[in-house]
Amino acid sequence: MNAYQKYIRNFSIIAHIDHGKSTLADRIIERTGLVSQRDMKEQFLDNMELERERGITIKLQTTRLVYKAKDGEEYILNLIDTPGHVDFTYEVSRSLAACEGAVLVVDATQGVEAQTLANVYLALDEDLEILPVLNKIDLASARPDEVKEEVEDVIGIDASEAPLVSAKEGIGIEDLLEEIVHKIPAPAGDEGARLKALIFDSYYDNYKGVVIYTRVFDGKVKTGNMIRLMNTGKKYEVTEVGIYSPGHVPCKELRAGEVGYICASIKQVADARVGDTITLDAEPTEQPLPGYKKVQPMVYCGIYPAEGEKYENVKDALEKLQVNDAAFHFEPETSTALGFGFRCGFLGLLHMEIIVERLEREFDLAVITTSPSVIYKVVLTNGKEEMVQNPSNLPDAAEIDHIEEPIVKADIMIPKDYVGNIMEICQDRRGKMLHMEYITENRVQLHYEMPLNEVIYDFFDALKSKTRGYGSLDYEFVRYEKSRVVKMDVLLNKELVDAFSMIVHETKAQSRGRFVCEKLKEVIPMHQFEVPIQAAIGQKVIARETVRAYRKDVIAKCYGGDISRKKKLLEKQKEGKKRMRQFGKVEVPQEAFTAVLKYDDNK
Amino acid sequence: MIINRKQAKAGLYIHIPFCLKKCRYCDFLSFEGSSRELQEAYTDALVKELVCYSGNGKRPAVDTVFIGGGTPSILATGEIGRILAAAERGFYISGEAEITIEANPKTLTEDKLSAYRAMGINRLSIGAQSMDNDLLSFMGRVHSSRDFAENFQAARDAGFDNINVDLMFGIPGQSWELWEDSLSRVLKLSPEHISFYSLQLEEGTEFCQMYKAGQMDLPPQEEEREMYHRGIDMLKRAGYCHYEISNSAKPGFECRHNLKYWNFDEYFAAGAGAHSFCYDRGRRFNTADLNQYIKRLQEGMDPVEGGGYEEESAAGYMGEYVFTALRTRAGVDTEDFEDTFGVDFCKVYGDKIEKLLQYREKGLLILEEKRIALTERGIDVSNGIMAEFV
């Protein structure tokens, strides 16, 4: 080990959502004096507005801290934040790969959750030293001893010395920092060897191009070096290297064991993919680092400009988002109902929601999203295979030999009282139970195999709803499996509206169709004529509702409080209806597109 | 400043959001089963709001006051007295002002009525809705036709010589014979004013839900229009002037307060959810949350906060002017329009002339030198015509 490495600690913080990871990171940053309390925004690392608002980390962040330990030495702590959601498991694994240790935050009131476990397993995969920490011990409902026991039982790591902290109140932070210094190993690596560095994150900067966050394992890299990204094979000249502390601070070089950033005039993040290995083009290392994976979208949906929004504006916005998000894909598509728009691919439903929200907030655009779909493998009678992610593109039934759908392994953690409820909703969603284990006396983990198609609709909402928010879920893709799925269409006033088409399992078509018709009936306003709403498979109608006709050409009452309201009614009559989509003669409010996707406890 | 109209005297609307029971078709801001304590607290808040209108010793002048609801007559007589006294402190109410209170049958007593008179209330508006007891109970009304007749008589005895009766038609299960029967029975009492409303399904009401779910039917549109025109004919024969889409009155008894809404006059408003209109501030409305309303006034805050105001452009105001004026028999006075907005009427709506001529051709619209008004047949399609102007 080189002398400088002795004082470096590279670590991540892992936790279940809401267990206080970001707040804890804030306290650590504050304690090491990097940022004054005054400049501290609520959560320093979550710097997207959306992240702060939702209280989750989407994009990870990295920070270099200097901590003067009780032994009198100054240590460099590289805190590598990880995204906090199941959609971003791969990113989490690469962040962890850049570390020697992980601080495992467990909520002292809630104990171990499904995602805590998922993250621990990822950390164990990377051979990290895991430091358990119990957070929120200031709360009256904290039960640290029980939770320690739980950590030991469930995860199998010693939690007896786990620091008790309250990130919110700033309690126990010092103890934690000492633990980090003493328990997490210093990085190894040979400064003299050929360059081998891991990309664990990258983002697009308007001035510098793509900024790569990297952990150097062997060798060193400096400005002017010609680097090669081993998996994409692309070469770039390094224009700047530095550390983040916070803000970019250029430095001479990054050496084995260090964490920092590299700029090399790279145009988009898709060219500097997370997990790729950086080496020098002139003297490449022999083997890239293991674990690289090109992340693929799992969930697709159509995004269309809402009435009055311009196609080009939406396209520009999607392009800007894509520059910074290698996992997000889009391509143009057209819908007979919605016109020109885009088919977009996401890692999961949350990723999708985030993109849509960012379009609305950061770009001030109104968009319509169509039913999310997974990617189906369609095997044709002529033996060819097609991957279909848009229900409208499903080939003619006569040409299809069979369809395969993606299956995921879902790990669900719940308090034991809800086991019955949750087994029921899993069953209902075509889940196959693999096994069930008692994590503690009161908590159960269910392992299921389930079609992803069922997970993306409303499973998470249903899980939360049926467990009063206590249930947690983690899932990963396992395989494609032959399945009897069919395309279900929706007809309004006898006309097919392709934006509502979805692929569903044969056994679920009827109930899904009924649900969609009922929901549409609730949100579609009464017209001057009767509007039949039908769900159909091919020519066969499987569910039907009717919006009754209601015709009024005269406003009966118009007094002081009615004038604005009635004027709007007249304006609506005149203009053809803002926030409404016209399908044939039928007006559909935009909320209809989300209404058919929402979990409804009563249904 | 868009509106440079010579100010006529303004009106004052006071909202009382309480009822014995919510009717199944009603979407007004009104709550059933409220406690005496809540009604008292609300009265206190209302008094605070009304008094606030006087500033620096100046009180805005009004020549109409309308206490509407809900069912204002549900309040204790003393509370109405306090409210009117507060209105006097907040406003300059002219000597010959029209002061109306709305009431529903079963809430009126001789004592109450005499007290109202003594307080200076000179107009009473009674919600009869129908004289058919089956229809009344179907609509969720708590009174019978007999309760109405008794209350009406009591009002006359107490000296009310300006009474309005509200009626409804187009009710599920109502034939035009039943409608004519209700109307003729009310005409026998010879009220000074009759409002007759076509039942409207409003989102969120029980009737609307029932209709959507197919549990209730409405008379077909042709029948509903038939009831309307038969009603107007009967009223005309009885000497009532049809002066607004849903209102008829004996000459001289048109509701001066309601006319302000259609004549683009100003009106102040007090109470939860109440809307006001002033040329300099536009349309504003108080919070419709009863507890918020009370709390804000207790804390000395503006009840409009949490309510809101409508931002309006010149074109928007012109649209409002025209469509509300078209509700009246008098119609749009283009000269007054031009005085109000300082622009030529034809300049603003020049591109509509073709359309308007077509409407006249069809006998739907009266186009005179300085007046545009709907014909009786024009009223049947009034939304379409009004929409041309907004």
Side-chain angles (χ1 to χ4, degrees):
Chain A
M1 190 190 294
N2 297 301
Y4 70 90
Q5 290 172 333
K6 211 174 131 191
Y7 300 105
I8 297 176
R9 298 291 180 272
N10 298 319
F11 71 103
S12 278
I13 303 177
I14 57 180
H16 185 71
I17 250 174
D18 290 340
H19 281 198
K21 183 179 67 157
S22 298
T23 317
L24 182 62
D26 283 353
R27 285 300 94 78
I28 291 175
I29 292 166
E30 215 176 82
R31 174 60 191 76
T32 52
L34 182 67
V35 186
S36 71
Q37 200 148 9
R38 193 163 45 86
D39 292 343
M40 195 84 186
K41 286 190 195 150
E42 182 66 11
Q43 288 177 352
F44 182 76
L45 294 183
D46 288 352
N47 61 2
M48 262 198 276
E49 187 192 341
L50 194 61
E51 290 181 321
R52 266 202 299 278
E53 220 165 279
R54 289 199 159 203
I56 50 170
T57 309
I58 301 161
K59 196 81 186 139
L60 55 95
Q61 293 279 330
T62 291
T63 283
R64 180 180 190 268
L65 310 164
V66 180
Y67 173 62
K68 189 151 195 223
K70 287 187 180 147
D71 63 12
E73 300 289 345
E74 273 193 354
Y75 288 85
I76 291 165
L77 308 183
N78 288 310
L79 164 55
I80 297 169
D81 198 13
T82 56
H85 193 272
V86 48
D87 283 1
F88 307 102
T89 301
Y90 174 68
E91 274 85 349
V92 176
S93 79
R94 293 307 82 200
S95 299
L96 294 175
C99 302
E100 277 75 37
V103 171
L104 169 65
V105 185
V106 181
D107 187 322
T109 67
Q110 301 210 7
V112 177
E113 298 276 354
Q115 249 179 284
T116 319
L117 272 192
N119 287 331
V120 168
Y121 292 140
L122 288 174
L124 291 173
D125 281 350
E126 300 299 330
D127 258 342
L128 300 195
E129 179 69 32
I130 295 173
L131 286 186
V133 176
L134 303 195
N135 192 19
K136 304 195 186 175
I137 53 129
D138 56 310
L139 297 183
S141 52
R143 37 183 184 93
D145 292 336
E146 268 173 68
V147 172
K148 271 186 189 176
E149 212 170 294
E150 207 172 294
V151 169
E152 290 181 354
D153 287 356
V154 178
I155 305 174
I157 52 175
D158 179 14
S160 58
E161 289 174 42
L164 303 181
V165 308
S166 161
K168 195 160 143 272
E169 301 298 327
I171 301 167
I173 307 302
E174 188 88 25
D175 296 345
L176 172 59
L177 285 165
E178 288 295 320
E179 283 275 299
I180 291 170
V181 166
H182 291 119
K183 294 217 169 135
I184 293 178
D190 182 358
E191 195 189 353
R194 292 187 169 198
L195 176 65
K196 190 182 260 190
L198 172 73
I199 301 179
F200 61 84
D201 190 23
S202 64
Y203 77 96
Y204 185 80
D205 178 283
N206 281 333
Y207 302 102
K208 298 179 177 174
V210 172
V211 178
I212 293 171
Y213 282 115
T214 187
R215 156 71 198 273
V216 182
F217 282 92
D218 278 323
K220 51 190 167 189
V221 58
K222 60 179 188 237
T223 306
N225 281 159
M226 201 57 162
I227 52 169
R228 186 198 301 174
L229 307 183
M230 295 183 78
N231 286 291
T232 60
K234 294 193 171 158
K235 296 169 197 173
Y236 301 93
E237 188 184 329
V238 175
T239 56
E240 186 178 319
V241 299
I243 52 169
Y244 191 84
S245 88
H248 295 120
V249 181
C251 65
K252 207 173 112 248
E253 59 184 6
L254 293 175
R255 298 172 291 179
E258 291 183 322
V259 169
Y261 69 89
I262 297 176
C263 301
S265 309
I266 303 171
K267 295 286 181 296
Q268 53 178 338
V269 291
D271 294 328
R273 287 182 175 273
V274 168
D276 207 346
T277 305
I278 305 171
T279 191
L280 290 183
D281 189 47
E283 301 172 300
T285 180
E286 279 169 20
Q287 284 289 323
L289 292 157
Y292 172 78
K293 199 164 80 174
K294 192 175 165 191
V295 286
Q296 296 290 358
M298 300 244 274
V299 175
Y300 281 81
C301 81
I303 291 185
Y304 288 83
E307 196 86 48
E309 299 293 340
K310 295 208 179 65
Y311 175 85
E312 284 300 325
N313 297 356
V314 175
K315 185 169 170 235
D316 286 351
L318 291 176
E319 272 167 2
K320 286 202 179 99
L321 290 174
Q322 192 179 37
V323 160
N324 222 348
D325 187 344
F328 169 59
H329 285 222
F330 74 94
E331 57 186 47
E333 74 167 3
T334 45
S335 148
T336 44
L338 298 172
F340 292 100
F342 305 91
R343 176 104 322 222
C344 302
F346 309 93
L347 293 173
L349 263 201
L350 180 86
H351 188 209
M352 170 176 137
E353 281 170 23
I354 288 165
I355 295 275
V356 170
E357 260 189 73
R358 291 183 68 185
L359 284 175
E360 287 173 354
R361 282 178 195 218
E362 291 169 33
F363 298 92
D364 200 24
L365 294 168
V367 294
I368 293 177
T369 54
T370 63
S371 306
S373 169
V374 300
I375 310 170
Y376 294 92
K377 190 190 277 181
V378 181
V379 181
L380 303 175
T381 45
N382 65 11
K384 284 193 182 137
E385 277 181 11
E386 266 183 41
M387 302 305 279
V388 174
Q389 21 86 344
N390 181 349
S392 300
N393 294 345
L394 202 65
D396 201 63
E399 292 173 35
I400 298 174
D401 182 72
H402 69 270
I403 301 176
E404 293 176 16
E405 68 176 331
I407 305 292
V408 295
K409 180 170 168 291
D411 303 323
I412 302 155
M413 194 173 291
I414 44 172
K416 76 165 191 293
D417 295 349
Y418 301 109
V419 166
N421 283 344
I422 297 311
M423 283 171 116
E424 203 175 299
I425 63 171
C426 290
Q427 204 88 29
D428 190 44
R429 283 162 180 75
R430 299 188 283 136
K432 261 188 249 137
M433 191 160 96
L434 301 176
H435 61 283
M436 168 172 132
E437 57 193 314
Y438 271 82
I439 299 297
T440 65
E441 210 175 300
N442 290 316
R443 292 150 59 73
V444 172
Q445 188 162 34
L446 300 173
H447 301 276
Y448 269 89
E449 272 191 3
M450 227 188 280
L452 179 60
N453 157 318
E454 300 285 346
V455 178
I456 63 166
Y457 275 121
D458 58 4
F459 182 70
F460 196 61
D461 290 342
L463 174 68
K464 284 283 174 196
S465 163
K466 294 277 189 210
T467 60
R468 297 169 182 232
Y470 286 117
S472 57
L473 166 75
D474 190 61
Y475 66 82
E476 63 177 335
F477 171 78
V478 285
R479 65 174 174 277
Y480 270 93
E481 201 174 276
K482 198 165 160 179
S483 172
R484 302 181 67 85
V485 291
V486 291
K487 178 173 158 232
M488 185 181 85
D489 294 316
V490 174
L491 294 87
L492 294 181
N493 205 24
K494 305 272 163 73
E495 284 180 54
L496 192 148
V497 179
D498 61 359
F500 287 122
S501 294
M502 56 181 82
I503 292 175
V504 293
H505 193 258
E506 216 175 46
T507 57
K508 304 292 293 298
Q510 184 104 32
S511 59
R512 191 90 214 153
R514 215 175 301 134
F515 174 80
V516 168
C517 289
E518 278 167 19
K519 279 284 166 189
L520 288 176
K521 184 183 174 179
E522 277 171 29
V523 296
I524 293 176
M526 289 193 282
H527 287 58
Q528 295 200 337
F529 48 89
E530 199 167 82
V531 180
I533 303 168
Q534 295 163 303
I537 294 169
Q539 300 300 314
K540 191 173 156 233
V541 173
I542 53 168
R544 183 194 160 104
E545 291 284 341
T546 307
V547 180
R548 298 192 73 186
Y550 182 62
R551 184 189 170 103
K552 271 287 179 195
D553 295 330
V554 189
I555 294 164
K557 285 191 184 190
C558 189
Y559 298 104
D562 304 319
I563 293 173
S564 303
R565 202 155 56 106
K566 297 304 180 191
K567 190 177 69 168
K568 282 194 188 106
L569 187 112
L570 293 173
E571 281 168 349
K572 225 170 105 178
Q573 172 153 352
K574 183 173 144 190
E575 283 171 19
K577 5 290 171 177
K578 282 264 148 54
R579 304 298 282 180
M580 290 277 191
R581 279 278 171 164
Q582 189 93 26
F583 298 130
K585 280 157 63 197
V586 183
E587 284 160 24
V588 179
Q590 294 190 16
E591 57 174 308
F593 294 92
T594 40
V596 298
L597 305 177
K598 289 251 166 73
Y599 174 70
D600 190 335
D601 224 352
N602 305 316
K603 307 270 153 139
Chain B
M1 172 92 159
I2 307 156
I3 304 158
N4 45 30
R5 195 183 211 204
K6 279 184 244 93
Q7 309 222 339
K9 271 192 192 137
L12 169 63
Y13 178 78
I14 299 170
H15 191 66
I16 311 296
F18 305 113
C19 280
L20 285 176
K21 183 169 174 291
K22 186 100 180 156
C23 298
R24 300 168 85 189
Y25 55 83
C26 173
D27 79 328
F28 283 168
L29 183 69
S30 181
F31 305 93
E32 61 182 12
S34 54
S35 66
R36 287 294 317 143
E37 290 73 32
L38 180 63
Q39 294 179 8
E40 268 165 39
Y42 183 77
T43 304
D44 291 343
L46 204 46
V47 164
K48 281 207 177 77
E49 189 188 6
L50 285 163
V51 170
C52 275
Y53 275 95
S54 77
N56 318 321
K58 276 194 222 153
R59 294 178 296 164
V62 295
D63 65 354
T64 66
V65 178
F66 196 105
I67 307 173
T71 306
S73 52
I74 209 173
L75 290 187
T77 316
E79 284 166 340
I80 297 289
R82 284 177 62 211
I83 290 165
L84 274 173
E88 290 275 6
R89 283 166 65 200
F91 295 87
Y92 172 76
I93 302 173
S94 67
E96 59 281 7
E98 172 195 277
I99 302 177
T100 308
I101 189 164
E102 279 189 319
N104 278 314
K106 251 191 170 164
T107 58
L108 290 173
T109 60
E110 277 170 40
D111 292 348
K112 246 184 204 173
L113 287 159
S114 324
Y116 290 166
R117 290 293 301 168
M119 290 168 198
I121 296 175
N122 50 29
R123 187 172 181 273
L124 184 69
S125 175
I126 310 179
Q129 313 312 355
S130 176
M131 299 298 279
D132 184 293
N133 288 336
D134 292 340
L135 286 182
L136 285 172
S137 73
F138 177 69
M139 288 193 287
R141 304 284 299 177
V142 291
H143 60 87
S144 65
S145 59
R146 187 178 172 153
D147 294 325
F148 162 72
E150 283 173 8
N151 279 180
F152 188 90
Q153 192 50 50
R156 284 292 194 224
D157 293 346
F160 276 97
D161 54 8
N162 187 358
I163 302 180
N164 167 59
V165 176
D166 277 350
L167 286 172
M168 289 173 76
F169 62 94
I171 306 162
Q174 188 186 38
S175 61
W176 61 260
E177 288 95 338
L178 273 180
W179 161 235
E180 280 192 348
D181 178 63
S182 278
L183 183 54
S184 65
R185 282 165 69 184
V186 169
L187 283 171
K188 279 202 188 104
L189 299 171
S190 194
E192 284 63 36
H193 191 288
I194 294 179
S195 298
F196 48 108
Y197 301 110
S198 171
L199 171 72
Q200 190 118 18
L201 295 183
E202 301 289 354
E203 266 323 311
T205 60
E206 205 185 331
F207 265 20
C208 193
Q209 281 173 13
M210 288 170 68
Y211 181 76
K212 284 184 173 176
Q215 296 157 355
M216 177 182 107
D217 278 310
L218 290 174
Q221 211 197 0
E222 308 74 53
E223 225 168 284
E224 181 261 351
R225 284 293 94 193
E226 176 81 22
M227 291 185 209
Y228 180 67
H229 293 290
R230 277 174 186 265
I232 292 172
D233 288 346
M234 286 170 67
L235 284 158
K236 274 186 188 158
R237 281 200 300 276
Y240 291 79
C241 167
H242 180 219
Y243 73 101
E244 195 261 358
I245 290 181
S246 306
N247 287 282
S248 282
K250 291 183 180 172
F253 287 97
E254 293 84 3
C255 177
R256 280 156 51 198
H257 182 82
N258 286 343
L259 276 168
K260 290 185 192 293
Y261 298 135
W262 308 312
N263 289 344
F264 208 65
D265 292 332
E266 295 179 297
Y267 48 94
F268 298 94
H275 289 60
S276 66
F277 175 50
C278 297
Y279 299 148
D280 57 350
R281 293 191 313 189
R283 300 191 188 279
R284 289 156 52 99
F285 52 100
N286 287 346
T287 174
D289 181 323
L290 207 53
N291 294 319
Q292 270 296 317
Y293 173 78
I294 294 169
K295 191 165 161 258
R296 292 192 74 87
L297 281 152
Q298 278 168 352
E299 289 166 3
M301 291 190 288
D302 186 350
V304 165
E305 299 284 324
Y309 66 97
E310 307 276 335
E311 258 187 75
E312 204 45 272
S313 60
Y317 277 131
M318 290 178 204
E320 286 173 8
Y321 180 106
V322 176
F323 102 78
T324 51
L326 281 176
R327 295 189 64 83
T328 62
R329 158 129 308 212
V332 180
D333 174 345
T334 57
E335 236 171 29
D336 181 71
F337 179 94
E338 286 163 7
D339 287 348
T340 302
F341 297 107
V343 288
D344 200 43
F345 184 85
C346 291
K347 238 189 203 138
V348 181
Y349 295 110
D351 55 330
K352 306 287 182 197
I353 295 295
E354 201 66 23
K355 271 274 177 68
L356 300 186
L357 287 170
Q358 280 173 21
Y359 286 129
R360 179 165 73 174
E361 204 69 14
K362 289 185 199 154
L364 304 173
L365 201 62
I366 300 163
L367 286 177
E368 291 167 358
E369 178 74 31
K370 292 191 163 82
R371 170 173 177 247
I372 302 175
L374 298 172
T375 63
E376 215 181 286
R377 288 291 152 195
I379 288 171
D380 291 344
V381 292
S382 52
N383 282 4
I385 300 176
M386 288 169 177
E388 299 286 348
F389 296 93
V390 300

